[in-house]
């Protein structure tokens, strides 16, 4: 008959000597999908954040373009204003040319001859240059001489026009006389349409 104590010890030794059962590949892997899903969630969040950033940058660029179109830079604005002024000036010049053509076409033969003489007449530039140099005491360029010659011609034309009005008002007939010219200059001076040759002391209070 076997000893009960010996049997128990052998049984216990046999259970202890058995190797621990390893889990099967299919078992215990229930946590793996959860771990993969948690790792994929941050990646998806990063991609959505990048897309939002790109969308915001694109929206900011569109707003900048819209604001730039509504408010152009100062240089471009000045260029546009200059172009508009140039077009307006050209339009005014064209209108003046058309009006002058209509006026010349309505001239009589005598008026046309007088107009041609007026266009051909000019002050000698050498005399104008000497006069300017004697007053300023320095040499001047040819452009200044041309400009002063043209201004002098316009001033002489205004005096002659006023003298003709004086002659007609007084009941005289052309040609003009010195008294008509003097009265024309006096009237222009009274209207302050002639250059003042006298020096004035202006006091500032």
């Amino acid at each position: 008959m076997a000893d009960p104590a010996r049997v128990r010890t052998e049984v216990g030794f046999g259970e202890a000597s058995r190797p621990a059962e390893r889990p099967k590949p299919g078992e215990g892997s229930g946590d793996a999908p959860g771990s993969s899903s948690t790792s994929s969630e941050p990646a998806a969040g990063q991609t959505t954040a990048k897309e939002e950033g790109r969308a915001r940058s694109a929206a900011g660029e569109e707003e900048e373009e819209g604001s730039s179109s509504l408010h152009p830079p100062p240089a471009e604005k000045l260029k546009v204003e200059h172009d508009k002024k140039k077009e307006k000036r050209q339009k005014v010049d064209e209108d003046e040319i058309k009006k002058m053509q209509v006026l010349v076409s309505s001239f009589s033969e005598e008026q046309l001859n007088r107009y041609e003489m007026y266009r051909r007449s000019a002050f000698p530039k050498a005399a104008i240059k000497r006069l300017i140099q004697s007053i300023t005491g320095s040499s001047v360029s040819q452009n200044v001489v041309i400009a002063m010659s043209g201004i002098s011609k316009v001033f002489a034309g205004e005096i002659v026009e006023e003298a003709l009005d004086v002659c007609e008002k007084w009941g005289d007939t052309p040609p003009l006389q010195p008294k008509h010219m003097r009265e024309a200059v006096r009237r222009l001076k009274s209207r302050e349409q002639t250059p003042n040759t006298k020096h004035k002391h202006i006091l500032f209070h």
Side-chain angles (χ1 to χ4, degrees):
M1 187 175 179
D3 190 3
R6 187 177 178 181
V7 173
R8 290 178 181 175
T9 55
E10 288 178 356
V11 172
F13 177 77
E15 291 177 356
S17 62
R18 289 179 184 176
E21 294 180 358
R22 295 179 180 177
K24 294 180 180 180
E27 295 178 355
S29 62
D31 296 338
S35 62
S36 63
S37 63
T38 54
S39 62
S40 63
E41 286 179 359
Q46 290 179 359
T47 54
T48 54
K50 288 181 181 179
E51 290 178 357
E52 289 179 358
R54 291 175 183 174
R56 289 177 182 175
S57 62
E61 290 178 358
E62 290 178 358
E63 289 180 358
E64 289 180 358
E65 290 177 358
S67 60
S68 62
S69 62
L70 293 175
H71 303 284
E76 186 176 353
K77 189 176 181 181
L78 290 174
K79 186 178 180 181
V80 171
E81 291 179 355
H82 179 69
D83 294 340
K84 288 182 179 179
K85 288 181 180 179
K86 190 175 181 181
E87 291 177 359
K88 187 176 181 180
R89 194 181 303 115
Q90 289 178 355
K91 187 176 180 180
V92 171
D93 292 341
E94 291 177 358
D95 294 340
E96 292 293 331
I97 291 171
K98 290 180 180 179
K99 289 179 181 179
M100 199 64 192
Q101 289 176 352
V102 172
L103 181 63
V104 173
S105 62
S106 63
F107 280 171
S108 62
E109 186 176 356
E110 183 182 358
Q111 290 175 339
L112 189 60
N113 292 333
R114 290 173 60 187
Y115 179 72
E116 288 178 358
M117 292 298 296
Y118 167 75
R119 291 294 300 271
R120 292 176 184 175
S121 62
F123 287 97
K125 293 181 176 58
I128 296 293
K129 187 174 183 178
R130 285 197 303 270
L131 180 62
I132 296 173
Q133 289 178 352
S134 65
I135 294 172
T136 60
S138 60
S139 61
V140 293
S141 63
Q142 190 67 18
N143 292 333
V144 175
V145 175
I146 294 171
M148 288 302 298
S149 178
I151 293 171
S152 302
K153 181 179 176 179
V154 172
F155 178 65
E158 290 180 353
I159 293 176
V160 170
E161 190 68 25
E162 189 68 26
L164 288 172
D165 293 341
V166 171
C167 180
E168 184 179 359
K169 187 176 180 180
W170 287 359
D172 297 336
T173 57
L176 296 176
Q177 300 178 13
K179 61 180 181 179
H180 301 142
M181 302 294 290
R182 285 193 292 268
E183 180 63 19
V185 172
R186 187 191 68 78
R187 291 185 179 185
L188 292 175
K189 280 184 178 180
S190 65
R191 295 198 294 264
E192 296 183 354
Q193 293 181 357
T194 58
N196 191 6
T197 58
K198 294 181 180 180
H199 180 69
K200 290 184 178 181
H201 296 282
I202 301 174
L203 300 177
F204 296 96
H205 299 286

